[in-house]
Each structure stands twice: as structure tokens, then as C-alpha cells.
Amino acid sequence: NGFPFANVTINLKKAVEQNGLTVEYVVFTDQTCHFATPYFYGPFVTKEKILLKDFLPRQGQIFDMQKVIDSEKRLRRRPYIKNVTAYTPQIDSSADHQEALMVAVPLFIEDHSGVGLEGTAGFTASQESKPALYGNLILSVVNVFHSGESALFEYAGDKTRQQLKIEFSKPWLLGL
């Protein structure tokens, strides 16, 4: 951990007495790597600050690939995320390398966003009874404000009962 990029020197030594060849690998891990801001790309509309809430490593922390893997899993569990893939970390060429190398993790993000409407509804009216609406209707809204929110409005009813169910969820409500 902290050394995803190391210098490797290969020394080849010929052993005349043994009629053989020795291969020696020398790994220099003298410069630790720290996290830079992740690079999000792909067809997503979710605000980057919402995605960053689920990215566990913070800028400046020592690089740890397990944190990247855990962040990928965490993002994948969000209902507004369709797909997420972390790719090979890259040295951030825009960062100052005086103390440590800064490593950016590219993350491909696809999210869900839109409005859905489904169901059946009917209307009855007769002289004997008052007009009535029956059937079921579901209106769902996912990530339309680009902050991971979802809402569901569900109506179900017939002659004997009318029911309206409303659900709303938003990750990181009030920025907490």
C-alpha cells in the first residue's frame, strides 16, 4: 500500500563456475503515492459532489487499492448508479511531486435518470353511483435533479378503497 508505482531494476549475473545465469530484481519503493481527486467520466448526470461522498479515499491520503475497490462496491449499491468501473490508477501529471506522487483513479460512471409512468386506470360513471376512478398508476422519478434522489407516487383504487402511496429518498440529505 502506498507504492502502486515502483522503480524496478533487473540485474543479470552470469555465473561461470555453475554455467548459469542469475536474475536479480531490485524494487525501489522510496516514494509513496497519495490519492489525487478521482477522475469521473462516462454518461452520467449525477453531481460529482454526490459521487465523491461514496469515494472513500480522500485527497492526500496514502494510496490503498482496497479503498478504491470498496468505493467501487459502495457506488454500485446506490440505486441511481447503473454501472461503475474503476480503471488503472494514473500518476497525476498536474500535481507537484515534491513530497509524494499523486495518483488519480479513473472511474467510469453510468447512472439512471428519468421519469417513468406505468399502470392502468379507469373511470366509471352511472346514474346509480357517483363517478369513480379505479386501477393502479405508478409514477417514478429517479435522479432528475442529479443528486441521486428518487420518488415514487403510486395510486391504487377501486369502488371500495382508494390508496395513494408516496415515497421519497435522497442520499446525503442536508449534506450529512
Side-chain angles (χ1 to χ4, degrees):
N1 285 336
F3 304 100
F5 303 99
N7 293 325
V8 179
T9 301
I10 301 171
N11 296 323
L12 301 175
K13 297 178 183 176
K14 184 176 179 184
V16 178
E17 315 80 54
Q18 298 172 344
N19 199 19
L21 184 67
T22 303
V23 179
E24 177 184 51
Y25 295 95
V26 181
V27 180
F28 299 96
T29 59
D30 57 343
Q31 188 163 15
T32 59
C33 293
H34 294 257
F35 280 104
T37 303
Y39 169 60
F40 297 113
Y41 71 99
F44 69 93
V45 295
T46 304
K47 294 176 183 170
E48 197 168 307
K49 69 179 184 175
I50 298 296
L51 298 173
L52 282 171
K53 297 263 188 185
D54 284 314
F55 192 72
L56 298 173
R58 298 294 173 238
Q59 187 171 353
Q61 287 182 333
I62 291 180
F63 184 86
D64 182 351
M65 192 62 191
Q66 187 60 48
K67 287 185 178 183
V68 174
I69 292 166
D70 292 345
S71 297
E72 184 179 9
K73 288 177 186 175
R74 193 171 162 154
L75 279 163
R76 194 170 278 128
R77 286 193 300 262
R78 293 291 181 191
Y80 52 89
I81 297 294
K82 182 177 181 180
N83 184 26
V84 59
T85 305
Y87 286 99
T88 305
Q90 303 168 355
I91 293 175
D92 184 359
S93 59
S94 66
D96 183 15
H97 301 309
Q98 289 182 8
E99 289 184 26
L101 291 176
M102 298 300 284
V103 178
V105 178
L107 289 152
F108 177 80
I109 305 282
E110 282 183 281
D111 59 7
H112 297 286
S113 181
V115 177
L117 180 65
E118 62 182 272
T120 59
F123 183 77
T124 61
S126 68
Q127 291 182 346
E128 297 87 42
S129 63
K130 59 183 179 181
L133 182 64
Y134 65 93
N136 65 348
L137 191 62
I138 299 173
L139 172 66
S140 58
V141 177
V142 178
N143 204 19
V144 293
F145 301 112
H146 315 305
S147 57
E149 72 287 335
S150 64
L152 175 75
F153 303 95
E154 182 177 355
Y155 167 80
D158 55 28
K159 283 188 347 184
T160 59
R161 101 187 145 90
Q162 304 287 314
Q163 178 181 349
L164 179 63
K165 182 167 95 175
I166 300 173
E167 296 177 4
F168 181 77
S169 69
K170 179 172 175 31
W172 314 111
L173 189 63
L174 304 175
L176 302 174

